[in-house]
Amino acid sequence: ILGGRKADPHVMPYMASLQLDGQHVCGGFLIAEQWVLSAAHCTEETDGKIFQVLLGAHSLTKPEPHKRLYRVRAQIPHPGSNIHNNKDDLLLLQLEEKAELNEHVQVLPFQREDRDVAADTVCKVAGWGTTSHSGHRPDELHSLERPVISRDVCNHRTRHDHTITEKMMCTDSRKKDTCKGDSGGPLVCNGVAEGVVTAGSRVCGNYKKPAIYTRIAPYVAWIDSVMASAAG
Ligand SMILES: O=C(O)c1[nH]c2ccc(F)cc2c1NC(=O)[C@H]1C[C@@H]1c1ccccc1
């Protein structure tokens, strides 16, 4: 997160850190007791290794009560996701067991109505991604509030030049922005997850390249069917 602030501990108890060999790779968030939603691009370059999911954390390294690393039973990228673009950039992870819920580990509801969030709505994003242009990796969760920008503005030829589909949304990226390592985290508007930070490589903090999120509502049927099929 560029230009944000250290989050108050455990005010986002739905946040997950997707890790490989104890290293943070991407963000994610708890959408059900045994399911985490993240971004499909985060599985590139992991040559088939399975993530572990850290829940209940504020610091990535310090011992904290309620912090727990979960094994993943299944990792399911959206069938439409691919390495060439940001389309369908979603990843569902089924934990080996149901997460133990408490004040530091909670499920975040996601938007089920497929209607655009109004431009200028201020939403919240968080992560353990880089906090400086030099790529500093923070130990503690950072958060940021950002206004939504309209798809028309985001699709302007000087911005993302008509690559933003109706299944994507954008927030202003002037100085304060998501960055590498924040991908997979939720964009929370009025207490509901509306989007997932896309994991395609993107310059951070440049107002000409707004932050791009996969909207969740268009994928409710896929999310529900995957969770129902693997239930039990
Ligand atoms: O965050 C992303 O956008 C993104 N997209 C990817 C695609 C492939 C892929 F193998 C990884 C990623 C990845 N994450 C990263 O590179 C994470 C490792 C870097 C990082 C940054 C800050 C703090 C901790 C760790």
Side-chain angles (χ1 to χ4, degrees), residues 15-16 26-29 37-39 125-126 181-187 195-198 213:
M15 282 305 294
C26 274
F29 59 108
L37 185 60
S38 183
V125 65
D182 291 321
S183 302
L187 179 69
V196 176
V197 181
T198 53
Y213 307 80

Side-chain angles (χ1 to χ4, degrees), residues 196-232:
V196 176
V197 181
T198 53
S201 59
R202 177 189 140 261
V203 65
C204 318
N206 179 337
Y207 78 99
K208 294 219 161 190
K209 294 298 170 198
I212 308 170
Y213 307 80
T214 305
R215 291 182 57 240
I216 298 170
Y219 296 93
V220 163
W222 174 69
I223 293 169
D224 284 348
S225 65
V226 168
M227 291 200 293
S229 66

Side-chain angles (χ1 to χ4, degrees), residues 15 24-25 49 145 150-151 161 172:
M15 282 305 294
H24 172 84
V25 173
K49 281 193 208 128
E145 293 202 333
S150 72
R151 189 170 294 103
D161 192 12
D172 178 84

Side-chain angles (χ1 to χ4, degrees), residues 24-26 41-42 44-45 128-130 137 180-183 199:
H24 172 84
V25 173
C26 274
H41 277 284
C42 295
E44 290 164 13
E45 301 158 35
W128 288 275
T130 47
R137 297 184 174 193
K180 221 148 192 34
D182 291 321
S183 302

Side-chain angles (χ1 to χ4, degrees), residues 41 44 80-89 163 168 200-201:
H41 277 284
E44 290 164 13
S81 61
N82 63 79
I83 59 169
H84 306 292
N85 58 43
N86 285 324
K87 284 194 176 138
D88 303 332
D89 190 14
T163 61
M168 300 173 190
S201 59

